[in-house]
Amino acid sequence: MAVRTTGHIGLRVGDALIVVDLQSDFLPDGRLAVPRGDEVVPLLADCVRRFLAHGLPVFATRDWHPADHCSFQAQGGPWPPHCIAGTPGAAFARDLCLPRAVVIVSKATERDRESYSAFAGTDLAQRLRRAGCTRVFVGGLATEYCVLSTVLDAIDEGLAVVLLVDAVRAVNVQADDGVRALARMTERGASIATVAELPE
Ligand code: VGL
Ligand code: ZN
């Protein structure tokens, strides 16, 4: 898919950054490794720095499962155990560097419920509303699961969404899952940008 981006993007009051699930278990050597997932860590660390420097809110989501979560194969789910709350695998990527101002949103915390979206069962929508956010920039892992669901829910919440296309990576159970997810997001109205298009 040819991806057209928008060129330079100005950051303004009402913008926020959502970093999706940059956790050890999704990085190479993790229990649910996303191919080349490590490549997005420095890019998103840079985004965190830039948004905070502009006085804009930053949210970091994390998959935060109980040890017997329904998405794990032992419970009949599709995934190996991953991101078990409080374990090293659930920790944020070491090089992400999250200052205290970053709001952490834990999701998929209930045993019997899978939720890929950072809006499902969390107060993220309320927090964004309270902070006056109207547009969110989204990057992280994995493109066709938690990034996709979070982006679609953000759109349903009435937010404008900019997907940071170079700061996402896909699992690609089927080879084109990531590409198809990108298409679904843009069809629903998400725009696409690269990290370099953000102001310093
Ligand atoms: C995710 C699969 C299982 C994700 C979470 O963060 O995209 N994918 N749990
Ligand atoms: Zn999960």
Side-chain angles (χ1 to χ4, degrees), residues 26 63 65 71 79 82 114:
F26 294 128
D63 218 24
H65 297 315
S71 74
W79 305 116
H82 63 277
E114 175 61 308

Side-chain angles (χ1 to χ4, degrees), residues 54-173:
H54 284 258
L56 298 172
V58 176
F59 298 85
T61 74
R62 61 184 181 187
D63 218 24
W64 200 246
H65 297 315
D68 56 352
H69 191 247
C70 61
S71 74
F72 299 168
Q73 280 146 0
Q75 277 65 243
W79 305 116
H82 63 277
C83 297
I84 295 170
T87 64
F92 287 111
R94 192 169 31 83
D95 295 333
L96 185 57
C97 306
L98 294 180
R100 290 172 55 89
V102 173
V103 177
I104 294 170
V105 177
S106 302
K107 65 181 180 59
T109 59
E110 286 176 47
R111 186 190 65 179
D112 296 324
R113 207 161 82 198
E114 175 61 308
S115 33
Y116 291 136
S117 168
F119 289 90
T122 73
D123 62 355
L124 179 58
Q126 194 186 352
R127 282 177 176 278
L128 287 164
R129 229 176 293 123
R130 255 197 239 131
C133 297
T134 54
R135 182 170 68 164
V136 292
F137 291 70
V138 182
L141 305 172
T143 311
E144 72 275 52
Y145 298 103
C146 291
V147 172
L148 173 66
S149 292
T150 298
V151 163
L152 296 184
D153 277 357
I155 292 169
D156 287 342
E157 288 289 335
L159 296 160
V161 177
V162 181
L163 181 78
L164 295 166
V165 70
D166 52 343
V168 295
R169 291 292 183 275
V171 179
N172 285 332
V173 171

